[in-house]
Amino acid sequence: MEVLTPSSVSRFSVFPNYSSTNKKSKGTHLLHCSRDFGERNGLSRAPISVELGSQADADVHQNQLKAISTEKEDKPKDIWKLFKEAQQNILYLNKQRLLAMEELERVSNERNSLLDRLEQLEVKKETNIRRDNFSTSSELLLRIDSLVLTGMIGSKEALDLRRLVMYSRGSLVDDLYDILSMNDTGLLEELRHFSQKSKTDGFHIIHICTEMSPVVSVGSLASYITGLSCSLQRRGNIVEVILPKYACLRLDEVQGLREIQAEFYSYYNGQLHGNRIWTGVVYGIAVTFIQPVYYSSLFSHERIYGYPNDFERFAYFSRASLDYLIKSGKQPDVLHIHNWQTSIVGPLFWDVHFNQGLAGTRVLLTCQSFDSQCLEQPEKLALCGLDPSTLNRTDRLQDNNKAHLVNILKGGIVYSNKVIIMSSIQAKGQVIDAFGYGMEPTLADHKHKLVIAPTGFEKSTWDPSKDNFLPQSYNADNMQGKSVCKITLQRRLDLPEATSEILVGCIYSDISDFDLDKLKTLVWTASRRGIQFIFMRSGEIPVLSGALQLFQEEMQDENVKFVDKYDEGLLHLIISGSDIMLCQSYDDHLLQVPLKALKYGSAPIRIYFSNSSLRHFGEYDNESTNFAKYINNTFGNIPLGQAIDEIKNNPSQWYRRITDAMSKDFSWDAECSDVHVSAYESLKRL
């Protein structure tokens, strides 16, 4: 048994030092502490005895022992408290370490993003330099037109000066830029001093059309004109555009807009009528705007199409465009006309203008589709100077189904040297046999001059490796940025955030195009599997049909989001952040979603899958586009459910398919431009 003496107890702070009185006290008593008491206080498992003096001393010692017992009871609690505090400190430090690592990663990503942006700015700078070069040449061509119209030079000298500008795209462009600010007299003097220092085999192409993005844009024609023209100029060709001067033009998109101070008259309804001519540059393309004076109301409407006098409006414009070419002395290699609106240029060119200095020019017609053809009374042809009696024949303009009317689009096909049909998917045989909207006999008669071309997209704007709308760029070799885009998209639209979740996007222009019952079933089935959906309409005019509103109300699901307001930046984010893009059709001339989806690593999957596209159409089956062949061998035969299964069950194979698609080029610069250049070359040989 351990004896607790004053000296041994004094090491506890609760005990005072013993005085001499305590040491001299008479009588000594032993206080035995039981085993249970010691165990309860954690002091000892053996009895404890203490020598004490008087009873008072015994009481003091008893109190001291109680204090020892209390301290011993509190000591484990203090240790546990310290342990918990230490544990909390460790967790806090670990959290701070993780935050520091995340911050370090964020700074690193920002650095990489900054480097990517700097690279993009360099590319953009180079693009702007090239665009400035094109703009310089285009502005000079327009100034030469002004010199002709004001009578300062004749047609022959104008032709020589145009060739000078066309052949000076590279070496002389800086010198040519310096003379743009001169007045007409000084400009002409300087131009006459320049000599031809370089030659090119490019074509001089003039579009006579009714739309051009971004100045006036209604349908697919607008982006086609701008995209193709820029691509052709990058290949060394000279491209010009003639447009009506609508009241609703976005003139802020026109560089160097100016009115030519000269009178210009064109024929219409038996008389010559004055026009005002405006010139400018759009994306490096020379653009001429024709504004009627007497018939000023023709293009003062709020809309571009859809008026009872549409034929009269565009017949006036077509005739004025040709008269302007003659007046300005232009001799392009190709007159490129579009849809029914300028198809009347075909018969006008051959019957009226061919022998007025345009003997070396040929006519090419592009049809975006055949569903709009313009049927009119034959006598209306006389408004623009044509002879109805010679044109109202089955082999010319007479409509195939309504013999008492003339078909303006048919006239364009018959009188053009080449016809390009814009179709990314349909083969030549399919168009001739089934998609002519009553024009099938005419197409069959002229099948030798029909060519199929796919649509394209502007790759300077749509490229994930340099897209300024994306939080992080990416490409086929490094797809990390696509995951960042997905998380950013999910966060922005309040979707559950996870890169592992399959995200399906859908951009629509008109919800009436959808079979909503089938679409509801498709979305409902997939969303129950945890698939996320985003629907966004395109265009700037809000149109929310009752059917779509009901669809939204029925789809009360956190995984399904609807965006009713068009947002250009969000459009880029949806296409980049989605794994799959639902497409109404692969023949998407207006939105070009399938082409952009391929470039951004998002699989274009048709909303409604059927085998109808696999039908064969005879001898012209091989005359389909490279895009059609590729898409049908990759994503064209995969319904949505199968695509989802492949992503989940065979991600490596799916990844290879996606990255391979990203490496393909389906922009305006690729197959579309190739087909057009080939068509121009064939015209040159005629």
Side-chain angles (χ1 to χ4, degrees), residues 138-191:
S138 298
E139 286 188 51
L140 281 168
L141 290 174
L142 295 173
R143 292 290 296 276
I144 293 171
D145 294 349
S146 176
L147 296 176
V148 177
L149 293 176
T150 55
M152 294 183 68
I153 58 175
S155 298
K156 185 179 184 307
E157 185 177 6
L159 180 61
D160 292 337
L161 292 178
R162 289 191 185 100
R163 287 174 177 167
L164 168 63
V165 174
M166 292 167 63
Y167 298 154
S168 303
R169 277 292 173 106
S171 58
L172 297 180
V173 70
D174 293 333
D175 295 331
L176 293 173
Y177 177 80
D178 293 335
I179 68 174
L180 273 176
S181 58
M182 297 181 177
N183 59 28
D184 286 351
T185 302
L187 177 73
L188 179 58
E189 183 178 349
E190 290 296 327
L191 281 175

Side-chain angles (χ1 to χ4, degrees), residues 146 149-151 184 258-264 276-278:
S146 176
L149 293 176
T150 55
D184 286 351
R258 62 193 294 266
E259 182 181 3
I260 296 178
Q261 300 299 321
E263 293 182 346
F264 161 64
R276 298 171 68 185
I277 300 298
W278 301 76

Side-chain angles (χ1 to χ4, degrees), residues 480-540:
Q480 181 180 358
K482 186 170 177 65
S483 299
V484 175
C485 292
K486 175 186 278 191
I487 291 296
T488 304
L489 177 60
Q490 291 170 329
R491 185 175 300 142
R492 179 167 175 177
L493 296 182
D494 198 25
L495 285 165
E497 296 179 25
T499 57
S500 59
E501 298 291 345
I502 296 177
L503 180 56
V504 179
C506 181
I507 311 298
Y508 62 89
S509 58
D510 187 354
I511 200 65
S512 64
D513 292 338
F514 295 109
D515 183 331
L516 281 180
D517 290 334
K518 290 183 179 179
L519 184 61
K520 290 176 188 176
T521 302
L522 187 74
V523 175
W524 179 256
T525 303
S527 64
R528 295 186 67 180
R529 299 175 61 184
I531 309 302
Q532 297 177 343
F533 286 87
I534 298 173
F535 292 88
M536 187 179 85
R537 66 169 183 80
S538 68
E540 300 178 356

Side-chain angles (χ1 to χ4, degrees), residues 22 29 44 49 87 206 267 288 318 325 329 342 465 474 489 536 624 628 654 676 682:
N22 291 8
H29 301 278
S44 173
S49 64
Q87 188 180 43
I206 296 181
Y267 178 89
T288 299
S318 296
L325 295 182
T342 55
S465 68
Y474 63 95
L489 177 60
M536 187 179 85
S624 59
W654 186 263
H676 284 78
S682 68

Side-chain angles (χ1 to χ4, degrees), residues 57-82:
D57 291 336
D59 293 339
V60 170
H61 284 279
Q62 183 67 30
N63 292 333
Q64 292 173 339
L65 288 173
K66 288 181 180 180
I68 294 172
S69 175
T70 301
E71 180 181 346
K72 286 296 184 179
E73 288 178 350
D74 292 340
K75 195 173 185 68
K77 295 179 181 179
D78 292 339
I79 293 172
W80 178 248
K81 181 179 179 182
L82 290 172

